[in-house]
Amino acid sequence: ATVNLRALTSWVGIARLFAIVLSCLAFSLVASTGHFGGPYGTWCMFTWCFCFIVTLLVLLLELLELYPMLPLSWDDFTSAFSMLAALMVFTSSVVFPSTFISGPCNTNLCARQAVATTASCLCFLAYAVEVSLTRAKPGDISSFLSTVPGLLKVFEAYVACLIFSLLDGYNGEPGLMWCVAVYSICFIFTLLIIVFTIGRCLTYIPCPLEKMMVGYNFLALLMYLTATVLWPLYSFRGRSRPDPCGPNCWWNKRLGVTFLTIFNLIAYLVDLVYSTRMVFV
């Protein structure tokens, strides 16, 4: 192995160093409080630890120039991970303070939680900077997941995961079951595209890949369009918001799924536009 100091001194390397330090600071401070129980706290701690470990491994592999030995497309992997990390840390930066910080912050416990939240927000900015620095320039398609359609694939898969985490009580409603089928089918195909791209397996597909992507994005857009209409229609028809309605209230969960469905609909629309431009323009 040889040492490549540019992995640390380049702008991308500096952004990764900041992400490592800030994610470590976030989970260390929260761990010192001992108040991170429940699914939301566990998710935030997992996010910070996962991003810290993987970013550290990426930095070490590039520093020692060992990444060419891995049987994967390194540029696609790092682009997909930085996008995923930015989304995960952003979610944690919103979920953690809204769940664990309430009222006036005048105790040592609250101060550490507030500093951890600030570190998490700065960590998100570090990953966002990395995504911006590694994003493919117009005309450069050597790394698909660093292009706008590739980054949108990661976004679409992540939003689908958030939707799955909020699904509850949809059995017996044909309209809601169709929406769940839409979320599942689109997630599976999007995840396969990401995995095959990182694993350099797309070349084995016996059909024009670019046109297949356009066709898939068009079908996914149509399917999400139906889900955008059917989910709120079947979820809230004849049912008002309960009072009180806590964090685990079914009404809040279904409202969250409604907004996430709209986000993915917009993502697939933008994805279709960019994919069409890449193929036909």
Side-chain angles (χ1 to χ4, degrees):
T2 59
V3 177
N4 178 20
L5 293 178
R6 181 166 174 76
L8 300 177
T9 58
S10 65
W11 288 113
V12 175
I14 293 172
R16 288 171 179 164
L17 285 173
F18 271 105
I20 290 172
V21 173
L22 291 167
S23 58
C24 180
L25 178 62
F27 75 72
S28 298
L29 285 172
V30 174
S32 69
T33 65
H35 289 74
F36 53 89
Y40 296 122
T42 303
W43 162 255
C44 294
M45 286 293 285
F46 167 77
T47 295
W48 295 321
C49 293
F50 171 75
C51 293
F52 168 78
I53 293 171
V54 177
T55 307
L56 182 61
L57 286 175
V58 168
L59 205 58
L60 288 176
L61 289 172
E62 290 205 348
L63 178 64
L64 301 177
E65 292 192 341
L66 296 175
Y67 64 90
M69 302 172 60
L70 300 177
L72 50 82
S73 174
W74 184 253
D75 290 338
D76 284 308
F77 170 74
T78 53
S79 297
F81 169 71
S82 59
M83 182 65 177
L84 176 63
L87 294 171
M88 292 176 67
V89 174
F90 174 78
T91 305
S92 298
S93 300
V94 175
V95 169
F96 181 78
S98 61
T99 305
F100 293 95
I101 301 178
S102 60
C105 192
N106 51 14
T107 63
N108 180 264
L109 170 66
C110 184
R112 280 181 284 175
Q113 291 174 332
V115 174
T117 302
T118 304
S120 183
C121 293
L122 294 175
C123 185
F124 160 70
L125 292 178
Y127 281 117
V129 169
E130 182 183 349
V131 171
S132 176
L133 291 173
T134 58
R135 187 172 67 86
K137 304 300 185 291
D140 179 14
I141 56 173
S142 58
S143 172
F144 171 70
L145 292 181
S146 64
T147 63
V148 173
L151 295 174
L152 284 172
K153 288 287 182 289
V154 180
F155 177 84
E156 292 154 4
Y158 181 74
V159 171
C161 290
L162 294 181
I163 291 175
F164 294 144
S165 69
L166 295 176
L167 291 177
D168 185 23
Y170 57 85
N171 291 327
E173 289 281 358
L176 298 183
M177 294 178 69
W178 162 253
C179 294
V180 175
V182 169
Y183 304 142
S184 303
I185 293 171
C186 293
F187 170 75
I188 292 172
F189 276 96
T190 302
L191 184 62
L192 287 176
I193 291 172
I194 295 171
V195 173
F196 283 1
T197 302
I198 294 175
R200 298 174 178 170
C201 299
L202 290 178
T203 54
Y204 299 106
I205 298 178
C207 59
L209 180 61
E210 296 81 3
K211 294 182 179 179
M212 184 194 72
M213 292 282 192
V214 173
Y216 164 68
N217 289 331
F218 180 71
L219 290 176
L221 177 65
L222 292 180
M223 294 173 70
Y224 259 91
L225 185 61
T226 63
T228 303
V229 175
L230 293 177
W231 180 265
L233 179 64
Y234 280 87
S235 292
F236 305 113
R237 183 178 56 184
R239 307 177 71 179
S240 58
R241 186 175 189 271
D243 187 21
C245 188
N248 294 319
C249 175
W250 66 267
W251 199 92
N252 286 344
K253 289 183 177 180
R254 293 193 175 185
L255 183 63
V257 172
T258 301
F259 280 105
L260 291 173
T261 303
I262 295 173
F263 292 159
N264 248 3
L265 174 69
I266 297 172
Y268 277 109
L269 175 60
V270 177
D271 196 353
L272 176 62
V273 171
Y274 270 91
S275 299
T276 305
R277 288 182 58 189
M278 289 175 64
V279 174
F280 299 106
V281 180

